[in-house]
Amino acid sequence: MKTLDEYMALPYRMEITEDKDEGGYAVSFPELPGCLTCGETIESAINNATAKA
């Protein structure tokens, strides 16, 4: 069984979509259902998605 660090190091595909209703951008990871975040700019959305807790 892999450790959490090993799973975190895997290359998950990131999808970025523009939120035309609310503004800003949403980031999701198709291989990780329910794992999503957002930001006012593409840069902030990516930063939120890749920040370590």
Side-chain angles (χ1 to χ4, degrees):
M1 182 174 199
K2 294 183 184 202
T3 66
L4 179 58
D5 288 333
E6 290 172 316
Y7 279 109
M8 294 295 290
L10 293 174
Y12 297 105
R13 183 169 52 102
M14 180 188 302
E15 289 187 355
I16 303 169
T17 54
E18 183 177 6
D19 187 338
K20 295 182 184 201
D21 295 328
E22 302 273 333
Y25 296 86
V27 177
S28 63
F29 297 87
E31 294 88 356
L32 303 170
C35 183
L36 57 104
T37 189
C38 61
E40 291 184 20
T41 65
I42 290 175
E43 293 81 10
S44 66
I46 291 171
N47 186 52
N48 292 340
T50 59
K52 292 188 177 186

